[in-house]
Amino acid sequence: MMTEQEIREHLRRIAYPGSQRDIVSLGLVGDIVTRANEVIVHLRPSSASDEVLRHLAGRIVSLLSAVPGIGQVTVHRGRAQGTGVQPAPVAPPPQQPLPGVQCVVAVASGKGGVGKSTVAVNLSLALKALDNRVGLLDADIYGPSIPLMMGIEATPRAGQDRKIYPVEKYGVSLISMGFFLDDKSPVIWRGPIVMSIVRQFLRDVLWGELDYLVVDLPPGTGDAALTLAQEIPLNGGIVVTTPQDVALLDVKRGIAMFRQVNVPILGVIENMSYYVCPNCGEREDLFGHGGAGKTGLEILGEIPLVEDVRKGGDTGKPLVVQHPDHPIAQIFRQIALRVIEKTALRQ
Ligand SMILES: Nc1ncnc2c1ncn2[C@@H]1O[C@H](COP(=O)(O)OP(=O)(O)OP(=O)(O)O)[C@@H](O)[C@H]1O
Ligand SMILES: [Mg+2]
């Protein structure tokens, strides 16, 4: 197990929001208690708002949980008590459910480019194919790609009182950050701006009655993803990964992010998991296999690397609608069924 000093050194990588200085040098980190592989970090009383404290707690949990040898991480506000009375953990706020929306499922990934948006799109369409009313929220502020993948050129209609109607495509209602950004938007969105955009997004969109809202979170487990996971009332989280062994650490970060905001994890989807030779039909494990299984979470599905999946995304005709009989469309429907089963159990 690491020493308190080593843990403190790790925490120096966390900057205080809006400042160049880190939380250790600012004196925000108080006692650090370690028990077996569990770490409890106490934040000193400060003038930081609840919002900032929650944000920092999230950063601490995701950073430390990814350190080998550290298991459970908890953040408390105030000093470690000798009296046996533990201060309450810094918990995320109770969120208002979205009116008319039964179940919100977020898709996250520890790093970019693993096929998160592809999964979010095809999962939404598979849920739709199973007779659900489905919405898709493209919350990736850094690279909103879902309108392209869904072949959408229209922009949303404004209703009364500054409300926004989602755009419909293939029977799914879509809202994307991309609808509201133009080329002049700053590439690096600052945390508070992200938060206010998301709040507006969530409250002003007239989703109507939905059984499922699928959310494509920004890649990684940095501020943007964590903020969104805190801001949206999520019923379940899915982590998308690739099969390489090195991806395991990224998956752990994704898991830690959902745990920090108390979102039950439905499971992991291993994308580009294997390759099926188009000539001989033989399955090849290009990148090794089974990495995602080491997380101890359910593998909701393994999706092979297939040209038709990429083409579907590039042409705006996702595989699940373009080729509903394709074996991969079936895999997506199986994943959707499992998501339905697991979220139904939780409600
Ligand atoms: N199973 C697959 N087989 C073939 N190509 C795939 C597969 N999954 C995703 N791709 C392709 O890989 C690229 C990246 O996928 P995608 O945009 O879904 O990833 P992402 O994790 O959302 O990326 P970002 O981090 O940029 O948001 C896309 O061109 C997509 O079509
Ligand atoms: Mg994406």
Side-chain angles (χ1 to χ4, degrees), residues 5 89 100 121 185 190 209 234 246 294:
Q5 198 47 41
V121 162
S185 303
R190 296 179 64 83
E209 295 288 319
L234 301 176
V246 290
K294 293 183 195 149

Side-chain angles (χ1 to χ4, degrees), residues 112-118 140 149 219 271-272 303-306 309-310 314:
V114 297
K116 191 165 50 65
S117 303
T118 304
D140 185 352
M149 288 185 170
N271 188 31
M272 311 195 223
I303 302 158
L305 181 75
V306 173
V309 173
R310 187 195 54 73
D314 286 354

